[in-house]
Amino acid sequence: GLGDVYKRQEYITMEKLLKHEDEKSIMALLPIAVFIILFVGSGLLTGDFYLMPTTLAFLLALIVALLQNKKYTFEQKLYVAASGAGDVNIITMCIIYLLAGIFSAVVSAAGGVTSTVNFALSFIPVHLAVMGLFLMGCFISISMGTSCGTIAALAPIAVDISQKTGYEMALCIGAVVCGAMFGDNLSMISDTTIAAVRTQGCEMKDKFKANFAIVLPAAIITAAIFYFIGSGSSYHNAANLDYNFIQVVPYLLILIGALAGVNVFALLGGGTIISIFVGLYTGSFASSKILTLTSSGLSAMYEIAIIAILASCISALVRLNGGFAWILNTVQSHVGGVKGAQVGIGSLALMMDIATANNTIAIVLAGPLAKKISETYKISAKRTASLLDIFASVGQGLLPYGAQLLSAAALTKLTPLDILPYLYYPVLMLVCVIIFIFFCKSDN
């Protein structure tokens, strides 16, 4: 009928609108500014960063985005927002959140967290615990390819280590986030790596080698910082470190599976099933509690999943209204020389990440222009891919409204600003890549 014809025409119109990026407008970035003002500003003014619900701040920013640009009808803008929410990366992220929530709830109830921490602390000196969290985060994230999954898996352990060793919780979770961002940037199965390689047309192994050479010094220095922070502690662990090795098995299998390159969905799903059997075998919980645990794990991740969807809706509207085109034009107009071109490519990825709060989307959006810049200034594809991934990861690792810090805060009852002072790795990563650009010869 006529209704179907109208819907089809509306769909075709939206497809054209989504590809229309000729207009450039800094005002299109207003929703992002509104969110930052509401989220950060309210906390700074009141001293209470829980006063403004994160979801409400995103929702108000989305409303602002929907009210902008009178050229399009409200229905058209709503369609564009929905198209952003339906992006495969966003849906995948939300599913990972939910699976990670279930795994975290079940393995904790099965005694896995406590036994794993006690097992580790029985062999690792207390002064190495924080550095150990960072190294564990590096290992898991580079194997699993997901920073959010790594944070969800290690956050409970960080909390338990904090409670048993006396180290500040923000320090412990900061070490976890640093380790998670190491693998998010380097892993061959990470969305960011795949996006960077595909947009620049280089081999995965070549990008890994080029990327690793840049960030390795940052990782070594970060590990040293966490070591010296730990070695300065006068705390003596007198807690009971009893553990049941069977309860450690789910985490060991997760580590082994991640190293073997098992799909993150299979990894979290299989880990949950094994945790259920361990919990039932050890008597940690009854079979009647399984659904309750599953429900609590899902509930813990509802807010972050909604936030991811709302942020993606806002990003789609910012793009439609010319915000991304303005960013692209601004970066391109300041590019000059090979070193300037590399800084421009990195700045482009960083600005896109600040605008989208999603480093994968940032790389996908910045990729085409970055390729043009690299071809013009004869910068190798592997270096361009590395620059995109590193700069986007720097932004993602430091954004108070990014998924990584929001999920870390939600899992530990901290605020993102509590964790920020301990995020040494993203800052050092930025320092290392800047030094690399200006003092290392470009490999053409």
Side-chain angles (χ1 to χ4, degrees), residues 289-309:
K289 296 293 183 180
I290 295 176
L291 291 180
T292 302
L293 290 171
T294 300
S295 178
S296 65
L298 287 170
S299 299
M301 291 296 175
Y302 284 161
E303 183 180 22
I304 191 64
I306 293 298
I307 286 173
I309 292 172

Side-chain angles (χ1 to χ4, degrees), residues 323-344:
F324 291 163
W326 180 85
I327 293 174
L328 290 170
N329 183 70
T330 301
V331 171
Q332 192 172 27
S333 65
H334 290 83
V335 166
V338 176
K339 298 186 188 301
Q342 292 181 73
V343 173

Side-chain angles (χ1 to χ4, degrees), residues 142-210:
I142 203 170
S143 302
M144 291 176 63
T146 166
S147 54
C148 290
T150 300
I151 291 169
L154 287 181
I157 294 179
V159 171
D160 212 15
I161 284 180
S162 172
Q163 294 171 345
K164 290 185 175 179
T165 62
Y167 291 122
E168 190 175 346
M169 189 180 297
L171 169 64
C172 293
I173 196 64
V176 169
V177 174
C178 286
M181 294 314 301
F182 175 85
D184 188 273
N185 169 235
L186 279 174
S187 176
M188 291 192 183
I189 57 174
S190 169
D191 286 346
T192 59
T193 295
I194 294 170
V197 168
R198 286 184 177 178
T199 58
Q200 302 310 306
C202 64
E203 292 293 329
M204 190 85 70
K205 62 180 181 180
D206 293 334
K207 182 266 183 188
F208 175 85
K209 291 177 182 177

Side-chain angles (χ1 to χ4, degrees), residues 341-371:
Q342 292 181 73
V343 173
I345 290 171
S347 299
L348 179 64
L350 182 58
M351 291 171 69
M352 286 294 186
D353 187 66
I354 293 172
T356 63
N358 186 302
N359 47 347
T360 302
I361 294 176
I363 292 170
V364 170
L365 292 172
L369 180 56
K371 187 170 180 62

Side-chain angles (χ1 to χ4, degrees), residues 106 109-111 246-247 250 274-286:
V106 175
I246 294 177
Q247 294 173 323
I274 293 170
S275 297
I276 289 174
F277 282 117
V278 169
L280 294 175
Y281 177 78
T282 59
S284 299
F285 54 77

Side-chain angles (χ1 to χ4, degrees), residues 252-282:
L252 291 178
L253 292 179
I254 284 285
L255 292 174
I256 294 171
L259 183 62
V262 176
N263 180 277
V264 64
F265 295 106
L267 204 59
L268 291 172
T272 299
I273 293 172
I274 293 170
S275 297
I276 289 174
F277 282 117
V278 169
L280 294 175
Y281 177 78
T282 59

